Amino acid sequence: MDKNDSKVGRGGCPVLAFQKMVSGKYKIRILWDLKDGARRYGEIRSGLLRGGDGSGEIAPRVLSRELKALAEFGLIQRKDYGTVPPKVEYRLTPVGRSFVPVINAIRKWGERHLSGT
């Protein structure tokens, strides 16, 4: 992440910064899945496969990249327990939690305007 990516207050456009932060096929869905608490990698992956658009498997590299980007933007936190086998959990940060009502508003808008598409 470029050090200027989060510097919206320095003349950057907040809409473009937001778009960059959540762009990608899975980021908003990952954030939505984490609203109910911490999840492990496999649980996040299963949630994406279960609730999706029928696109099939998500490549592990793609999911890892999305999770890393969300962590770099400060929306999620990665906790590695340092155990064998590895145990890693992801959870929303306070900034990530503040985004949940926005996603819910998008979901409600979709229910009203996109049903039947």
Side-chain angles (χ1 to χ4, degrees), residues 89-102:
E89 286 184 341
Y90 297 89
R91 70 180 65 240
L92 294 175
T93 63
V95 173
R97 279 192 299 279
S98 73
F99 187 53
V100 170
V102 176

Side-chain angles (χ1 to χ4, degrees), residues 22-41 43-49 58-71 75-77 90-92 96 99-100 103:
V22 298
S23 67
K25 188 172 182 177
Y26 301 104
K27 286 186 183 109
I28 290 177
R29 289 174 49 203
I30 291 168
L31 293 170
W32 185 251
D33 281 352
L34 291 175
K35 77 184 181 314
D36 296 323
R39 300 250 193 275
R40 293 179 70 174
Y41 179 93
E43 294 170 320
I44 295 169
R45 186 170 185 268
S46 295
L48 292 174
L49 295 175
I58 175 174
R61 188 178 73 176
V62 172
L63 179 53
S64 294
R65 185 178 60 225
E66 298 282 72
L67 291 167
K68 182 178 179 183
L70 289 168
L75 296 172
I76 66 171
Q77 171 187 344
Y90 297 89
R91 70 180 65 240
L92 294 175
F99 187 53
V100 170
I103 300 171

Side-chain angles (χ1 to χ4, degrees), residues 7-29:
K7 305 291 188 229
V8 174
R10 294 190 179 181
C13 175
V15 173
L16 292 176
F18 171 80
Q19 181 181 7
K20 183 174 183 178
M21 193 169 63
V22 298
S23 67
K25 188 172 182 177
Y26 301 104
K27 286 186 183 109
I28 290 177
R29 289 174 49 203

